[in-house]
Amino acid sequence: MRLPNELLIHILRHVLPEDRIPFLFVSHFTHWLVCQDVYRRVVFPDTCSTQDILAFCQKYGPSLTTLCLPVTHYSNAFLQLLFQLCPHMHYLQSRMTLRQLYQVTALSPVHPTACFMLTHVPSAPRESGQVQSGFSSLPLPCCSSYFVFPSSETSLTHIAHYYHHPGALQNAILPTFGMDVVCFTLNTYDVLTVQVARLIVTQCPKLRYLVAPVVKAEGLWVLLRWCHSLAAVVVGGEEWTTHDNEAAVKSIQHHRRVWCLHQQSQEVWHVGILPKQ
């Protein structure tokens, strides 16, 4: 039995965007109705040209929130057009410089929560902190990258340190600041176990960048499975060398969300992760 198009339109109005994917394969008409809403995340292969990227974004850009571009140089004009085609973009991974990012965002405003992973940045002084009004950056020297995230005077997006106290993470830090935090550094005494990972998943829906001095393999696997916003984990520290850290990192190196695994030093690893949102 074929349903009238008017009835299909009415039905789809009551279906959430994340539940509309099956309608892509029902008919040409339902595909046309939902194709602008269902594509949220895209990882372009390295063989994809700039023309192909723009053509895809012209068709699906209004619904895209997460984009990972091929590793190649992009002009300011291309990036500016990309930002205009994807007004709801929350995360972009691309090869560009800090200066280029700020030049483009000055002309094409981005979503207030937008974060950027700038890869293969040409050699420059490695600095962290606020580099332009509204943005802060953290360097990843192992792969010449920067993580750039929004800074705010009204909310705490970056927690670089907190004093350890039994129950502080569970009862104070995450319940108070977790909803806004984008970058978070665990205290050296708060090991990333399954329990801690579950706390982070439930309390930090916007988390992109996590520093964990001591980790367990099970904790990393929980984050990769359930922390959909996560883009990078830095494991270890100069004063914290444990066999568990190395074994835990090696256990996830072939996970489908892990796009890079770099050893910054003998005790520190950078795990690059493809966000799901």
Side-chain angles (χ1 to χ4, degrees):
M1 177 181 177
R2 181 180 176 86
L3 296 177
N5 290 345
E6 293 79 6
L7 182 57
L8 288 172
I9 294 173
H10 181 73
I11 291 173
L12 286 171
R13 286 175 181 168
H14 299 277
V15 179
L16 296 174
E18 57 268 25
D19 296 328
R20 294 178 182 176
I21 293 177
F23 290 92
L24 286 170
F25 313 103
V26 174
S27 67
H28 290 292
F29 182 72
T30 58
H31 183 281
W32 176 79
L33 285 177
V34 304
C35 67
Q36 290 285 345
D37 302 319
V38 298
Y39 289 99
R40 302 288 181 181
R41 170 180 173 265
V42 57
V43 179
F44 292 102
D46 287 338
T47 56
C48 202
S49 67
T50 54
Q51 292 82 2
D52 293 334
I53 295 172
L54 291 178
F56 184 91
C57 291
Q58 284 174 345
K59 189 172 184 180
Y60 305 113
S63 65
L64 292 176
T65 60
T66 302
L67 293 88
C68 297
L69 301 184
V71 181
T72 187
H73 173 73
Y74 298 101
S75 67
N76 285 13
F78 168 84
L79 293 171
Q80 187 176 347
L81 181 55
L82 182 73
F83 289 0
Q84 293 172 354
L85 293 173
C86 306
H88 299 106
M89 180 172 58
H90 293 177
Y91 179 85
L92 173 65
Q93 179 175 307
S94 174
R95 179 179 180 178
M96 72 174 95
T97 64
L98 285 166
R99 181 181 179 183
Q100 190 177 20
L101 173 63
Y102 302 138
Q103 288 174 341
V104 173
T105 54
L107 298 174
S108 300
V110 296
H111 195 276
T113 63
C115 298
F116 305 90
M117 183 64 73
L118 312 185
T119 63
H120 303 83
V121 178
S123 298
R126 292 289 160 180
E127 299 178 354
S128 62
Q130 189 162 340
V131 289
Q132 177 166 316
S133 177
F135 287 106
S136 295
S137 69
L138 294 171
L140 291 161
C142 58
C143 53
S144 299
S145 301
Y146 279 96
F147 177 68
V148 182
F149 59 99
S151 57
S152 172
E153 296 180 356
T154 59
S155 60
L156 187 63
T157 59
H158 182 199
I159 299 178
H161 173 76
Y162 63 91
Y163 291 102
H164 176 73
H165 184 276
L169 184 67
Q170 179 178 357
N171 300 322
I173 303 297
L174 294 185
T176 304
F177 305 109
M179 291 300 295
D180 295 318
V181 72
V182 176
C183 302
F184 185 49
T185 299
L186 283 170
N187 187 282
T188 51
Y189 294 100
D190 286 322
V191 180
L192 184 66
T193 59
V194 170
Q195 291 75 19
V196 172
R198 287 174 177 168
L199 277 175
I200 292 172
V201 169
T202 56
Q203 300 282 354
C204 305
K206 300 178 182 177
L207 185 67
R208 296 287 188 187
Y209 185 101
L210 176 68
V211 179
V214 184
V215 302
K216 299 294 184 182
E218 297 84 358
L220 286 176
W221 279 90
V222 169
L223 288 182
L224 289 171
R225 175 64 180 88
W226 297 109
C227 192
H228 297 165
S229 60
L230 194 62
V233 177
V234 177
V235 175
E238 297 302 329
E239 70 277 15
W240 285 87
T241 305
T242 71
H243 177 71
D244 285 348
N245 279 358
E246 184 175 2
V249 169
K250 287 183 177 180
S251 74
I252 63 167
Q253 62 182 333
H254 299 300
H255 192 282
R256 62 182 181 180
R257 285 188 64 191
V258 175
W259 68 271
C260 78
L261 180 57
H262 299 143
Q263 191 165 359
Q264 293 187 9
S265 67
Q266 186 176 356
E267 300 87 8
V268 183
W269 293 265
H270 161 222
V271 183
I273 300 170
L274 296 173
K276 288 186 176 181
Q277 65 184 31

